[in-house]
Amino acid sequence: MDAVDDADQLPETAKNDVTSFFESAPPLKDAAETEKSLKEFVDRNASLSVNGKANRVVCVTSGGTTVPLEKRCVRYIDNFASGHRGAASTEYFLMAGYSVIFLYRRGTCQPFCSLLPDDPLLECLSVADDSTIEADPLHAETVKRAITETRAAVADGILLKLPFTTIFEYLQILQLISASLRGLGPSAIFYLAAAVSDFYVPWESMTLHKIQSASGPLDMRLAQVPKMLSVLRNEWAPMAFYISFKLETDKDILLAKADMALKKYKMHMVIANELSTRKEEVIVVTEQEKVTVRRDSTQAGAEVECPLVELVVDRHSAYIKKVDP
Amino acid sequence: MDAVDDADQLPETAKNDVTSFFESAPPLKDAAETEKSLKEFVDRNASLSVNGKANRVVCVTSGGTTVPLEKRCVRYIDNFASGHRGAASTEYFLMAGYSVIFLYRRGTCQPFCSLLPDDPLLECLSVADDSTIEADPLHAETVKRAITETRAAVADGILLKLPFTTIFEYLQILQLISASLRGLGPSAIFYLAAAVSDFYVPWESMTLHKIQSASGPLDMRLAQVPKMLSVLRNEWAPMAFYISFKLETDKDILLAKADMALKKYKMHMVIANELSTRKEEVIVVTEQEKVTVRRDSTQAGAEVECPLVELVVDRHSAYIKKVDP
């Protein structure tokens, strides 16, 4: 959620920074395999098109990126993010008929699993006397839904899950996704809910081995991650519909920063979250308006992502109509 | 694994550092509840004693600690650690008749789960036509074992699981554990497999809100975590049997550092791991010897923790005999 910050760079400088970031990054493992899955996913999606219009696809990013401090990594800087927002939003996009590329941090919350306890295997299941596995009654429906819905969506080709851990992996896979969605024009959404590091240690200046603890304090200098959002928006997939997220703990600066991100990065929507209330409400900032979206607190289990995705889908439809009538 | 580094402090200085670390740390949530569980666990264990000798108890620490960079934490520094070593060792200690306090990082590997895939719910289970839950044949036995063994050990009062996330929580809970095991004298083991941060940001000097990314690099100064191991060993539970771990990526300095830890902190054993080979073999360093312990590579699924715990139990028995004949 953070890579949209205060850069005031000329587009050319941003592009150069991005180029040198990618050139110095460790190569992505399984890049060919990821490209293949993306191609299959987009081809399959084309076959779902109605009246010659491509089916809508959203790339949902979710969870925090890590920044390794050593090449053979023992220590890293991480951004707090459970991945709940991205996982829950994925469910509502699927229900709204979108195909979803779910770019998620390994180990974070998965679609259809957001209402499960942390350790569902040990907390929800038991083995009966006849050696069959049983779910406890309280969680049975949630567990079964988690197991069946994700598998079904993946098998139907409407959900593609791609995991990442480091900032290097995240940005490299995001670039592959943008290349594969570029052809969909305005039918594609980038819903950038991941908590992306602002700072990193450039690979070539990183120590190979574990940093040794000498006596005394440790001084570290971190470089800024280049403003990839600007390049994604303007170069990689310029016709797509863009939604980014702003998370702050200080309410006073939240809306100002959301406004700034909207203008600087030409986002179509910026979702402003305050850390302490983010599960109850968010403020959706667009050029025309600021809308507060709240979860339905009269309903048990109702999530703020339900009305949020509804609003996004509505504005995305209007965008498609305008751009590609 | 790291808090045993190069400090060359007088015991008094170390004690003062520890005192001020605890005084400035945010108070532990659920401290009273943790103390209560520990008391019940130790009392229950006393009732298992044979011939008037206390049953043996091992405190296994597992996973990495986080160091928050902000009080309302969005960013933190983390240490890589899957928790596999601690989880697998816990299984073998239970099999050897020990009671285990498992002090683990939230979300890391659990005992009896170390052979499961990352997301067992989605990867091993399915829902049959009659709506019952089934495990796929390949993983069925592992899944059932994971569910039943952990529950049984907890229900029998021979396994107590205590989770932590931050360095503050880890050290505060470790202190509570040492207070409750002190009375067991040489029958208690501290098996310190957790990857503990060397550096942290003292709570009182931490920024309240999220660090803002300005233009330009970020400079950070981290303080050294006080050498808690020294105080634990000498003050909190001085009769216990101590095993610490050294993880390095550079083989050349590994054994030298293991030796140093052994002497400086008066460990009974130091387990030296090299990052790239740690699942195949470890070197056990004691005052008398250096023993390489390897997993049985002729057996599928055999883990290095099996012969490692066997060796630990053997040396612990000798220690008890010597100290408390």
Side-chain angles (χ1 to χ4, degrees):
Chain A
M1 307 193 191
D2 303 329
V4 292
D5 261 334
D6 320 287
D8 212 352
Q9 298 175 312
L10 294 172
E12 264 322 295
T13 322
K15 255 173 78 179
N16 291 341
D17 285 357
V18 169
T19 307
S20 73
F21 178 91
F22 278 116
E23 279 173 3
S24 76
L28 183 66
K29 275 182 205 160
D30 310 322
E33 204 183 308
T34 303
E35 279 188 282
K36 188 164 161 266
S37 335
L38 279 166
K39 188 174 177 324
E40 281 170 11
F41 184 81
V42 171
D43 288 352
R44 160 94 182 117
N45 192 67
S47 75
L48 299 172
S49 67
V50 185
N51 302 328
K53 295 235 178 196
N55 194 43
R56 297 181 185 179
V57 178
V58 57
C59 167
V60 174
T61 71
S62 189
T65 63
T66 69
V67 167
L69 299 179
E70 298 130 341
K71 280 185 190 171
R72 294 191 190 157
C73 182
V74 176
R75 297 190 187 87
Y76 52 87
I77 298 183
D78 206 341
N79 274 27
F80 164 78
S82 64
H84 183 279
R85 176 86 79 216
S89 300
T90 295
E91 297 174 33
Y92 294 107
F93 276 119
L94 287 170
M95 286 182 225
Y98 282 68
S99 296
V100 183
I101 298 172
F102 182 60
L103 178 60
Y104 69 100
R105 163 71 178 274
R106 278 186 188 82
T108 56
C109 190
Q110 294 295 297
F112 305 105
C113 297
S114 55
L115 298 175
L116 286 175
D118 281 350
D119 193 347
L121 200 67
L122 298 182
E123 290 180 54
C124 306
L125 301 177
S126 57
V127 178
D129 292 339
D130 64 353
S131 180
T132 57
I133 295 173
E134 288 177 342
D136 73 65
L138 184 65
H139 294 105
E141 283 319 303
T142 322
V143 168
K144 288 178 188 173
R145 186 165 170 260
I147 298 172
T148 51
E149 298 277 327
T150 306
R151 283 204 178 171
V154 171
D156 291 348
I158 54 174
L159 173 63
L160 176 66
K161 303 207 296 177
L162 298 173
F164 66 85
T165 302
T166 68
I167 179 84
F168 302 109
E169 291 168 346
Y170 172 80
L171 289 174
Q172 288 176 105
I173 302 174
L174 188 61
Q175 189 182 32
L176 295 179
I177 294 171
S178 71
S180 70
L181 294 188
R182 188 183 167 94
L184 293 179
S187 296
I189 298 182
F190 284 87
Y191 184 89
L192 303 164
V196 182
S197 315
D198 304 289
F199 299 105
Y200 79 119
V201 185
W203 194 252
E204 72 272 14
S205 71
M206 208 181 288
T207 163
L208 177 60
H209 288 298
K210 188 178 162 191
I211 297 167
Q212 292 302 315
S213 66
S215 43
L218 175 70
D219 290 308
M220 276 200 305
R221 166 159 283 203
L222 302 172
Q224 278 209 314
V225 172
K227 303 301 170 182
M228 213 62 75
L229 192 54
S230 164
V231 182
L232 171 62
R233 172 72 182 90
N234 294 305
E235 310 270 334
W236 294 351
M239 290 301 292
F241 189 72
Y242 281 90
I243 300 152
S244 75
F245 288 72
K246 263 284 157 208
L247 174 71
E248 293 291 339
T249 59
D250 187 342
K251 203 176 179 173
D252 294 341
I253 60 173
L254 178 60
L255 284 181
K257 298 202 77 166
D259 259 329
M260 197 165 61
L262 191 78
K263 294 199 181 80
K264 187 169 289 168
Y265 296 101
K266 296 186 229 156
M267 295 289 101
H268 299 95
M269 303 172 107
V270 175
I271 318 293
N273 299 266
E274 202 201 322
L275 186 63
S276 59
T277 59
R278 70 193 189 287
K279 292 191 172 168
E280 296 300 315
E281 62 171 53
V282 296
I283 301 170
V284 178
V285 181
T286 70
E287 252 187 15
Q288 290 77 36
E289 60 190 350
K290 289 185 175 54
V291 186
T292 302
V293 176
R294 286 195 186 85
R295 76 178 192 91
D296 179 357
S297 56
T298 62
Q299 287 228 308
E303 298 170 299
V304 67
E305 288 78 10
C306 175
L308 174 59
V309 168
E310 222 170 82
L311 183 70
V312 168
V313 169
D314 179 70
R315 299 305 146 89
H316 184 217
S317 300
Y319 175 73
I320 294 178
K321 218 177 227 167
K322 202 181 89 186
V323 174
D324 187 17
Chain B
M1 307 194 192
D2 304 327
V4 293
D5 262 333
D6 322 285
D8 213 351
Q9 298 176 312
L10 294 171
E12 266 320 297
T13 321
K15 255 173 78 180
N16 291 343
D17 285 356
V18 169
T19 308
S20 74
F21 178 91
F22 279 116
E23 279 173 1
S24 76
L28 183 65
K29 274 181 207 162
D30 311 322
E33 203 183 309
T34 303
E35 279 188 283
K36 188 163 162 268
S37 331
L38 279 164
K39 190 176 176 321
E40 281 170 10
F41 184 81
V42 172
D43 288 352
R44 161 94 181 117
N45 192 67
S47 74
L48 299 173
S49 66
V50 187
N51 304 329
K53 295 235 181 199
N55 194 43
R56 296 181 186 179
V57 179
V58 58
C59 167
V60 174
T61 71
S62 189
T65 63
T66 69
V67 168
L69 299 179
E70 299 130 341
K71 280 185 190 171
R72 293 189 191 161
C73 182
V74 176
R75 296 190 186 88
Y76 52 89
I77 296 183
D78 205 340
N79 274 28
F80 164 79
S82 65
H84 184 278
R85 176 86 79 217
S89 300
T90 294
E91 297 174 32
Y92 294 107
F93 277 119
L94 287 169
M95 286 183 226
Y98 281 68
S99 297
V100 183
I101 298 172
F102 182 61
L103 178 60
Y104 69 99
R105 163 72 177 275
R106 279 186 187 83
T108 55
C109 190
Q110 295 295 298
F112 305 106
C113 296
S114 55
L115 297 176
L116 286 175
D118 281 349
D119 192 347
L121 201 67
L122 299 183
E123 291 181 52
C124 306
L125 300 178
S126 58
V127 178
D129 292 339
D130 64 353
S131 181
T132 56
I133 295 174
E134 287 177 344
D136 73 66
L138 183 66
H139 295 106
E141 282 320 301
T142 322
V143 169
K144 288 177 188 172
R145 184 165 171 259
I147 298 173
T148 52
E149 298 278 327
T150 306
R151 284 205 178 167
V154 171
D156 291 348
I158 54 173
L159 174 62
L160 177 64
K161 303 207 297 176
L162 298 174
F164 67 84
T165 302
T166 68
I167 178 83
F168 302 109
E169 290 168 347
Y170 172 80
L171 289 173
Q172 289 176 102
I173 302 174
L174 188 62
Q175 189 181 31
L176 295 179
I177 294 171
S178 70
S180 70
L181 294 188
R182 188 183 168 94
L184 294 179
S187 296
I189 299 182
F190 284 87
Y191 184 88
L192 303 164
V196 182
S197 314
D198 305 286
F199 298 104
Y200 80 119
V201 183
W203 194 252
E204 72 274 14
S205 72
M206 208 181 288
T207 163
L208 177 60
H209 288 296
K210 186 179 164 192
I211 298 168
Q212 292 302 314
S213 66
S215 43
L218 175 70
D219 289 308
M220 277 200 306
R221 165 158 283 202
L222 302 172
Q224 276 210 316
V225 172
K227 303 298 170 183
M228 212 64 72
L229 192 55
S230 164
V231 182
L232 171 63
R233 172 72 183 90
N234 293 306
E235 310 270 334
W236 294 350
M239 292 301 291
F241 189 73
Y242 281 90
I243 299 151
S244 74
F245 289 72
K246 264 283 157 211
L247 173 72
E248 293 291 341
T249 58
D250 187 343
K251 204 175 178 172
D252 294 342
I253 59 173
L254 178 60
L255 284 181
K257 298 204 78 167
D259 259 330
M260 195 165 61
L262 191 80
K263 294 199 181 78
K264 187 168 290 167
Y265 297 102
K266 296 186 229 156
M267 296 289 100
H268 299 96
M269 303 171 108
V270 176
I271 317 294
N273 299 266
E274 201 201 323
L275 187 62
S276 58
T277 59
R278 70 194 190 286
K279 292 191 173 172
E280 296 300 316
E281 62 172 53
V282 296
I283 302 169
V284 178
V285 180
T286 70
E287 253 187 14
Q288 291 77 37
E289 60 190 350
K290 288 185 176 54
V291 186
T292 301
V293 176
R294 286 194 187 84
R295 76 179 194 88
D296 179 356
S297 56
T298 63
Q299 286 228 308
E303 299 171 298
V304 68
E305 289 77 10
C306 175
L308 174 59
V309 167
E310 221 169 81
L311 183 70
V312 168
V313 168
D314 179 70
R315 301 303 147 90
H316 185 216
S317 301
Y319 174 73
I320 294 177
K321 218 176 227 164
K322 201 180 90 187
V323 174
D324 185 17

